[in-house]
């Protein structure tokens, strides 16, 4: 899979710009603050229908403009697709091959992109919501059923919370509670399987990047234990909500469930958020991203697009070389950089270089 071309109109600091991209290594070269990250953001938007930088979609529309558009031509194993997103003040419009798409879940994953961003250095110290958001998005790009279960759960959760704000009849509350049982079981199983898959690769990639011998593991902290027997899981959930009912009524909200779960990273059994340096954390995130690439390839049988934003700025030359060696030759990689010397181990003939100056 790769993006053949990208057209941006009124998107951030791009008024009307077309980019031709190579199926291979692409370097986005330019000074800081001139739009390199905006270019990667537009590709991530086509992949996930959202920005990786903030939740307010209006921020992606150029100042004093009414709308913005991002158009991408993506080539995959099934052919070629034209993807369009139009952002406007009241939301966004999605289309595939000029046919409108009503649900985000029908659009997500048409372009499969994995992004490294310096902002993700906060992943370990951020609230659990940010870690859930990352994993939900990555699983969602691979599993429509996951997105459907998550959407169904959040809808039922909203109804349960609405009732808690206005009523406290336990019989009625039990009815709302039972509606969130089944989707949670499906979500827990998919989350657990996904984390198990990640753990098959994390240690290998971390050690290859760092040149060390360590064990890196991601732990899924589910509010119940996952088992093969659905009845056992249902019983666990039922007892948990029964135990929490008085607290939920008192606080007028649902205080436990898959919307409160978390994930933690451990390097040699030590919590990464507490014991690792910034350099180690950067390599943990890179190991996570490269592991995601492999999982996507195993499931989809084609590589995603790898977006690396300012990835080399805090890596020394040895770690840069190790990272570049790990990138599969058949994957489209788009790297932003201010200095070509950061990638001097790549042969110039193997690279498509795009120079950015003031959004052009």
């Amino acid at each position: 899979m790769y993006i053949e071309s990208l057209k941006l109109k009124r998107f951030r600091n791009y008024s009307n710009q077309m980019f031709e991209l190579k199926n291979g290594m692409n370097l986005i070269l330019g000074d800081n603050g001139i739009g390199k990250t905006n270019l990667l953001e537009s590709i991530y938007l086509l992949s996930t229908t959202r920005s990786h930088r903030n939740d307010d979609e209006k921020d992606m529309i150029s100042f004093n403009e009414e709308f913005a558009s991002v158009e991408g031509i993506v080539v995959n194993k099934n052919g070629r697709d034209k993807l369009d997103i139009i952002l406007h003040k009241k939301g966004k419009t999605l289309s595939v091959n000029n046919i409108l798409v009503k649900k985000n879940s029908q659009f997500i994953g048409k372009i499969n992109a994995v992004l490294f961003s310096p902002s993700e250095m906060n992943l370990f110290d951020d609230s659990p919501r940010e870690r859930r958001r990352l994993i939900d998005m990555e699983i969602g790009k691979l599993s429509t059923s996951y997105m459907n279960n998550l959407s169904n759960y959040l809808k039922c959760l909203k109804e349960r919370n609405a009732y808690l704000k206005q009523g406290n009849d336990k019989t009625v509350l039990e009815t709302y509670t039972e509606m969130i049982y089944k989707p949670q079981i499906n979500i827990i199983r998919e989350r657990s399987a996904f984390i198990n898959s990640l753990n098959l690769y994390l240690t290998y990639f971390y050690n290859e990047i760092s040149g060390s011998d360590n064990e890196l593991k991601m732990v899924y902290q589910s509010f119940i234990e996952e088992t093969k027997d659905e009845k056992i899981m249902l019983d666990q959930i039922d007892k948990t909500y029964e135990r929490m009912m008085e607290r939920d009524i008192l606080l007028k909200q649902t205080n436990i469930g898959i919307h409160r779960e978390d994930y933690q990273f451990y390097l040699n059994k030590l919590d990464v958020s507490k014991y690792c340096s910034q350099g180690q954390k950067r390599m943990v995130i890179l190991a996570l991203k490269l592991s995601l690439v492999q999982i996507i390839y195993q499931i989809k049988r084609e590589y995603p697009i790898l977006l690396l934003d300012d990835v080399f700025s805090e890596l020394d030359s040895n770690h840069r070389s190790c990272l570049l060696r790990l990138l599969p030759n058949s994957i489209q990689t788009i790297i932003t950089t201010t200095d070509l010397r950061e990638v001097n181990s790549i042969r110039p003939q193997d690279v498509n270089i795009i120079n950015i100056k003031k959004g052009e």
Side-chain angles (χ1 to χ4, degrees), residues 1-2 4 15 45 50 54 62 91 102 105 112 136 147 159 170 173-174 178 182 254 279 316 332:
M1 172 181 291
Y2 65 95
E4 189 174 67
S15 58
L45 177 70
R50 66 193 307 172
N54 55 45
S62 297
K102 293 184 178 180
S105 59
N112 220 321
D136 285 344
M147 293 298 287
E159 292 174 357
K170 292 184 179 180
L173 183 57
E174 284 175 359
E178 289 172 1
K182 187 63 183 291
T254 305
D316 60 34
Q332 184 180 52

Side-chain angles (χ1 to χ4, degrees), residues 39-40 55 80 107 149 156 181 209 283-284 295-296 329 333 346 355:
L39 176 58
L40 298 193
D55 291 325
R80 180 182 277 101
F107 191 93
N149 279 311
C156 295
Y181 284 4
I209 297 168
M283 288 186 284
V284 169
I295 291 173
I296 291 168
N329 293 328
T333 307
I346 306 175
N355 289 280

Side-chain angles (χ1 to χ4, degrees), residues 151-320:
S151 177
N152 185 26
Y153 171 76
L154 293 175
K155 178 184 175 184
C156 295
L157 177 68
K158 185 177 180 180
E159 292 174 357
R160 186 179 192 268
N161 284 338
Y163 179 74
L164 283 166
K165 285 180 171 61
Q166 64 184 17
N168 56 13
D169 185 297
K170 292 184 179 180
T171 302
V172 177
L173 183 57
E174 284 175 359
T175 301
Y176 282 108
T177 304
E178 289 172 1
M179 293 168 61
I180 60 177
Y181 284 4
K182 187 63 183 291
Q184 288 194 95
I185 290 175
N186 295 330
I187 289 165
I188 289 168
R189 283 179 167 168
E190 289 210 60
R191 283 180 176 177
S192 181
F194 188 75
I195 298 305
N196 288 339
S197 296
L198 277 176
N199 283 325
L200 295 176
Y201 297 102
L202 284 173
T203 293
Y204 168 76
F205 282 119
Y206 182 86
N207 289 338
E208 287 296 308
I209 297 168
S210 65
S212 59
D213 185 13
N214 296 279
E215 180 191 40
L216 177 61
K217 188 175 183 181
M218 192 173 183
V219 175
Y220 169 37
Q221 299 176 333
S222 175
F223 80 101
I224 64 164
E225 182 182 353
E226 188 227 354
T227 70
K228 292 182 179 179
D229 192 326
E230 185 173 304
K231 290 182 180 179
I232 293 176
M233 293 183 72
L234 281 170
D235 186 56
Q236 288 184 70
I237 292 177
D238 189 57
K239 288 179 178 177
T240 300
Y241 280 98
E242 184 178 347
R243 188 175 68 250
M244 294 292 292
M245 183 176 288
E246 295 294 340
R247 181 175 173 82
D248 286 355
I249 291 172
L250 177 65
L251 297 178
K252 300 184 183 299
Q253 66 176 2
T254 305
N255 291 282
I256 199 164
I258 59 100
H259 65 291
R260 293 290 184 95
E261 292 181 331
D262 200 0
Y263 306 86
Q264 296 293 334
F265 293 83
Y266 293 90
L267 187 63
N268 297 328
K269 299 182 180 179
L270 296 176
D271 189 338
V272 167
S273 66
K274 296 178 180 178
Y275 297 102
C276 286
S277 67
Q278 286 299 98
Q280 287 173 313
K281 288 178 179 178
R282 180 172 283 253
M283 288 186 284
V284 169
I285 294 174
L286 287 170
L288 171 63
K289 299 301 179 174
L290 292 175
S291 299
L292 288 171
V293 167
Q294 291 302 318
I295 291 173
I296 291 168
Y297 178 75
Q298 285 204 343
I299 294 174
K300 296 292 188 178
R301 305 317 300 173
E302 63 180 351
Y303 281 113
I305 298 154
L306 184 59
L307 310 174
L308 301 175
D309 190 16
D310 195 26
V311 69
F312 298 122
S313 62
E314 294 184 25
L315 295 177
D316 60 34
S317 58
N318 287 333
H319 289 141
R320 290 174 195 163

Side-chain angles (χ1 to χ4, degrees), residues 84-106:
D84 289 280
I85 295 182
I86 297 175
L87 303 167
H88 39 86
K89 298 298 171 70
K90 294 184 179 180
K92 57 180 174 276
T93 303
L94 312 174
S95 64
V96 178
N97 296 323
N98 299 318
I99 299 173
L100 289 177
V101 173
K102 293 184 178 180
K103 293 183 179 180
N104 287 6
S105 59
Q106 297 173 322

